[in-house]
Amino acid sequence: MTQSLQAELRVDETQVADTSFARFINVQKSYDGVELVVKDFNLDIQKGQFVTLLGPSGSGKTTCLMMMAGFETPTHGEILLKGEPINDLPPHKRGIGMVFQNYALFPHMSVAENLAFPLEVRHLSKNDIKQKVQRALAMVRLEEFGDRRPAQLSGGQQQRVALARALVFEPELVLMDEPLGALDKNLREEMQYEIKRIHASLGVTMIYVTHDQTEALTMSDRIAVFNDGVVQQLATPEALYEEPENAFVAYFIGENNRLCGDVIDYQGNTCRVRLDSGDTVLAKPVAVSDVGARTTLSLRPERVSIVADDDTSLENCFTAQVQEVIYLGDHLRTRLSVCGNDEFILKTPNAEGTAGLRPGQTIKVGWSSSDCRALDA
Ligand SMILES: Nc1ncnc2c1ncn2[C@@H]1O[C@H](COP(=O)(O)OP(=O)(O)OP(=O)(O)O)[C@@H](O)[C@H]1O
Ligand SMILES: [Mg+2]
């Protein structure tokens, strides 16, 4: 490596370090001194980004937020805010806004008093407080509601007050833990939009926790898929859906057909896999590199096509038995038996003439090797 290239790489490294706003470095957490509920958590969040921790129940998402907020201490590792370690900084000195699922507003205070509280604690002047509370109410479109008590508001309105209270002191970082969990579907979608709008207009950095994949996909710049205290993949919503790196992510994000087998050989960008059913499939090797490796093939239902008998354009073609056809308005879900898998799903837009499919019928389906990812077993 030339010296100038080395110097360039060094400059790059420092630039990366400078732009990182919040960081978890090799963070571990045990509550009982025995079991690690967060095993090795690494996350680097840029200023202004909306990052979501997505994962099943008990995977350690809340624990990670609590450590960033300062309510829990890491057992091992370091947490940085703007490049500074904050392991020993108490919560109130971190300047972080927080919203939780059961939005604990103070019931005996009016909405305006609830919003003024974080500012009073910070000793702002009466005038400043009044202005900031008005602005925060306007931001969540509750200008007329300052004098009400929380109990006199709907669930969605209460949640908007909680959001305003987390933002009123203009924190640079806001943590949200399943903030919409208690709301019905319509309100949830409205609030998702509201949070995105506020995020875009204020440019605050957000760490958001949810176990709802649709919510994560629609709201986030990046998603950290979390399982068992470890980040499985950190990527944009599109990359997570299109290019899952392991079987857990493929299974957790979106729908997914799974076929199990062993890799026979590798040829350029593809590998051949002998399925347990005896069929041979061409796939894209993603998490396998050895001949003989056990693998799970992952294939999205919308990437499977019905093909004509004489069609040879797709590398993978198999006969399939139609088990069940479910009409879902804009699309059809057809359950097939393919390559020994009786739960193989084909998803087709209603526009394409799949309407004629009947249970018991034999058809031919196909898919391209590039849509079929060979992942870990
Ligand atoms: N205060 C605590 N003391 C002991 N164990 C705890 C404590 N808080 C959480 N745990 C355990 O740590 C693990 C991770 O919990 P955590 O609340 O971080 O999960 P989560 O991903 O937020 O789950 P959920 O989606 O259900 O909210 C769980 O097994 C949980 O039982
Ligand atoms: Mg939680």
Side-chain angles (χ1 to χ4, degrees), residues 58 60-63 101 177-178 209:
K61 305 180 297 293
T62 297
T63 302
Q101 178 167 359
D177 193 354
E178 310 243 12
V209 163

Side-chain angles (χ1 to χ4, degrees), residues 224-286:
V225 180
F226 218 70
N227 191 33
D228 224 0
V230 180
V231 174
Q232 304 290 316
Q233 188 172 352
L234 171 67
T236 61
E238 187 180 339
L240 276 185
Y241 187 83
E242 300 290 342
E243 291 157 15
E245 281 166 8
N246 63 43
F248 178 83
V249 174
Y251 174 74
F252 202 74
I253 308 270
E255 229 188 336
N256 179 45
N257 288 311
R258 286 196 269 188
L259 298 167
C260 299
D262 304 301
V263 180
I264 308 170
D265 56 22
Y266 296 84
Q267 305 158 337
N269 291 330
T270 59
C271 61
R272 280 195 307 153
V273 174
R274 162 106 5 96
L275 299 181
D276 298 345
S277 61
D279 300 289
T280 303
V281 175
L282 276 179
K284 178 176 178 169
V286 175

Side-chain angles (χ1 to χ4, degrees), residues 11-56:
V11 169
D12 266 344
E13 272 167 25
T14 54
Q15 278 170 351
V16 168
D18 281 347
T19 57
S20 138
F21 185 77
R23 263 181 104 175
F24 292 85
I25 306 171
N26 304 123
V27 170
Q28 298 184 340
K29 175 69 183 176
S30 172
Y31 286 105
D32 57 7
V34 181
E35 191 203 357
L36 288 175
V37 298
V38 175
K39 295 204 177 86
D40 184 25
F41 186 50
N42 287 286
L43 186 62
D44 193 343
I45 300 162
Q46 308 294 302
K47 190 168 172 53
Q49 261 192 345
F50 195 118
V51 174
T52 296
L53 308 185
L54 175 70

Side-chain angles (χ1 to χ4, degrees), residues 288-304:
V288 287
S289 50
D290 299 326
V291 170
R294 190 81 189 140
T295 181
T296 304
L297 299 181
S298 159
L299 175 65
R300 299 290 184 200
E302 70 274 20
R303 297 294 166 90
V304 180

Side-chain angles (χ1 to χ4, degrees), residues 187-213:
L187 253 176
R188 234 181 132 90
E189 282 167 8
E190 200 177 296
M191 284 297 299
Q192 287 173 5
Y193 170 76
E194 200 85 352
I195 291 172
K196 278 305 281 178
R197 184 181 63 80
I198 289 168
H199 172 247
S201 69
L202 299 183
V204 290
T205 309
M206 297 259 198
I207 311 181
Y208 193 92
V209 163
T210 181
H211 57 238
D212 179 336
Q213 51 150 313

